[in-house]
Amino acid sequence: MSEFFTEDLLQWYRHEKRDLPWRRTDDPYKIWISEIMLQQTRVDTVIPYYNRFVDVFPTVHDLADAGQQQVLKLWEGLGYYSRGRNLHQAAKTVVSDFDGVLPATHDEISKLKGVGPYTSAAILSIAFQKPYAVVDGNVIRVLTRYFGIKEDIRSSKVKNRVQELADELISPDSPGDYNQAVMELGAMVCTPKNPDCNKCPVSSGCVAYNSAQTDIIPYKSPAKKIPHHQIAVGLIVNGNSELLIALRPNNVMLGGLWEFPGGKSQSGESLHQTVTRELNEELGVEVEVFEKYRQLKHAYSHFKITLHAYWCRITEGDPQPRSSMELKWVTLNEIDDYPFPKANKTLIEGLQSLNDSELKRFLV
Ligand code: SF4
């Protein structure tokens, strides 16, 4: 039943594919950028980021020559910032070790920072027409439905089986189009809820469709409960209406981005105690903690946070970057030049609407 799958799918893709900016180029560098940005991120979100990025860095040399802060500023809001840092590092490697030409072999490309099995298969097939099949959430959904695989898609047995099927189905003549076609089908037709099977080019051979099981395949065992952390940060203003910000180390989550100093609340601790302890540990200062300015929620892939921002005043000591790479006092105009995680951005926008006396009200 699968002999027509590849052919029917490719024919459909060539007529129905979306016109996306990275589909208008055959430049391996730009295809690489798009694949990194598309990891865990929706196409609509990626488009403006991709366009800005390739505008500012049209070649791998431009990216390799840039500063990390410039790269992260362009990545700001896209999330998963290690992707931006790794891409930047990998661009430097391409320039230094490969004469500025993205390598076209599996072994070489897989050694670049941030290029895992999925991304190497995507780049090799789309940019270099090599028959490496990609497997992502869309491919797993399409193939488990098509072949009627009812076991848990979190299991490595199912993931391996899907990879085997994808390797068998890939078109040796058009591997890049094939990979994009399965993913396009998963994104546009074979959607998680209510797949549009009437418009599907492979419905005649699809087990889930023909046995009315599209609502139970793919099967996913229940997820573990996502932890929820309470984060308390300090808003410290000086006499020049500048706020104190800290640069996160490169080797931690959100590394290379700026933040207001603070951290995770420990069990049994009040939020006031958290701010006091964190600012002492991070900056080596004693602070007086005043009222809460704002609290907001944010969800990351593996946990959620509620961020509590407190007005604070330093009562003893000069701030030192004890756990950050650098500290800076910045005005609310200058702050826009620094890349921040998304949760902090909302806070900053609120702060920018305050007048000077509101900003300095705890500065006695
Ligand atoms: S027929 Fe329906 S369930 Fe089967 S692959 Fe097509 S869209 Fe998915």
Side-chain angles (χ1 to χ4, degrees):
M1 71 186 163
S2 59
E3 62 263 35
F4 300 115
F5 180 91
T6 303
E7 214 174 290
D8 292 345
L9 188 64
L10 278 172
Q11 210 171 21
W12 168 84
Y13 176 70
R14 284 171 185 148
H15 286 109
E16 302 293 332
K17 67 178 173 188
R18 286 169 290 176
D19 178 23
L20 303 173
W22 45 90
R23 287 184 179 160
R24 292 181 215 138
T25 179
D26 54 8
D27 180 351
Y29 162 72
K30 290 181 181 161
I31 291 167
W32 174 33
I33 305 281
S34 71
E35 285 302 331
I36 299 292
M37 288 188 168
L38 285 165
Q39 290 168 6
Q40 326 275 344
T41 312
R42 292 166 49 83
V43 164
D44 293 349
T45 308
V46 168
I47 291 173
Y49 280 91
Y50 169 86
N51 285 334
R52 271 196 300 272
F53 205 86
V54 297
D55 242 23
V56 177
F57 307 125
T59 71
V60 70
H61 294 277
D62 299 310
L63 179 55
D65 289 345
Q68 180 175 278
Q69 290 288 294
Q70 192 190 3
V71 175
L72 290 177
K73 188 69 197 165
L74 281 170
W75 211 273
E76 190 179 71
L78 194 56
Y80 301 98
Y81 295 91
S82 59
R83 293 182 299 174
R85 289 197 310 273
N86 288 339
L87 180 64
H88 185 216
Q89 282 305 314
K92 288 176 190 281
T93 306
V94 171
V95 168
S96 63
D97 297 4
F98 298 100
D99 217 10
V101 180
L102 194 64
T105 67
H106 181 264
D107 283 355
E108 285 176 326
I109 205 164
S110 303
K111 284 190 192 129
L112 295 177
K113 266 198 143 182
V115 178
Y118 169 84
T119 310
S120 69
I123 299 170
L124 290 170
S125 62
I126 298 168
F128 299 113
Q129 298 308 316
K130 300 204 170 179
Y132 287 90
V134 298
V135 171
D136 71 348
N138 284 321
V139 177
I140 290 175
R141 187 166 59 257
V142 170
L143 295 187
T144 52
R145 280 178 174 162
Y146 187 82
F147 289 97
I149 299 169
K150 289 191 217 162
E151 288 156 275
D152 186 0
I153 57 166
R154 290 187 205 273
S155 72
S156 42
K157 183 183 162 201
V158 170
K159 285 182 189 150
N160 293 340
R161 179 72 189 125
V162 170
Q163 182 71 60
E164 280 168 16
L165 289 166
D167 292 341
E168 283 167 26
L169 291 165
I170 193 166
S171 159
D173 300 327
S174 306
D177 276 0
Y178 168 81
N179 277 334
Q180 293 187 87
V182 193
M183 291 190 283
E184 188 84 343
L185 188 73
M188 305 305 291
V189 179
C190 194
T191 46
K193 285 192 182 134
N194 305 320
D196 199 352
C197 301
N198 291 327
K199 290 200 181 139
C200 177
V202 297
S203 59
S204 63
C206 176
V207 172
Y209 173 58
N210 290 301
S211 57
Q213 296 187 89
T214 55
D215 52 344
I216 59 163
I217 302 177
Y219 168 70
K220 201 176 190 179
S221 54
K224 286 193 211 123
K225 202 170 178 303
I226 292 184
H228 191 143
H229 303 304
Q230 304 298 322
I231 308 288
V233 301
L235 302 173
I236 305 172
V237 183
N238 69 12
N240 300 323
S241 307
E242 292 167 324
L243 278 141
L244 187 63
I245 60 173
L247 180 58
R248 291 176 68 83
N250 272 336
N251 59 352
V252 300
M253 189 184 163
L254 307 173
L257 300 189
W258 293 81
E259 65 178 3
F260 296 106
K264 208 186 292 178
S265 186
Q266 294 178 349
S267 140
E269 197 177 50
S270 74
L271 291 167
H272 269 234
Q273 287 168 332
T274 304
V275 184
T276 310
R277 176 184 53 74
E278 284 285 342
L279 296 195
N280 182 266
E281 287 169 9
E282 285 192 13
L283 311 175
V285 295
E286 296 298 330
V287 292
E288 187 174 357
V289 182
F290 298 96
E291 64 188 46
K292 191 189 288 190
Y293 166 61
R294 198 167 273 193
Q295 77 177 48
L296 41 97
K297 293 188 171 169
H298 190 71
Y300 293 98
S301 56
H302 296 101
F303 61 92
K304 294 179 182 170
I305 63 162
T306 301
L307 182 73
H308 308 262
Y310 283 89
W311 294 111
C312 295
R313 182 167 66 88
I314 295 175
T315 55
E316 206 181 312
D318 279 329
Q320 303 296 324
R322 288 193 173 172
S323 58
S324 58
M325 293 202 284
E326 195 183 337
L327 298 176
K328 262 197 177 358
W329 290 99
V330 293
T331 65
L332 284 166
N333 283 331
E334 292 163 346
I335 208 165
D336 284 336
D337 295 336
Y338 297 84
F340 273 81
K342 215 170 189 172
N344 283 266
K345 288 294 286 179
T346 316
L347 207 57
I348 290 168
E349 279 163 21
L351 289 167
Q352 284 172 328
S353 66
L354 300 180
N355 63 35
D356 203 49
S357 51
E358 286 171 319
L359 198 60
K360 291 207 237 171
R361 53 190 265 245
F362 297 105
L363 182 79
V364 189

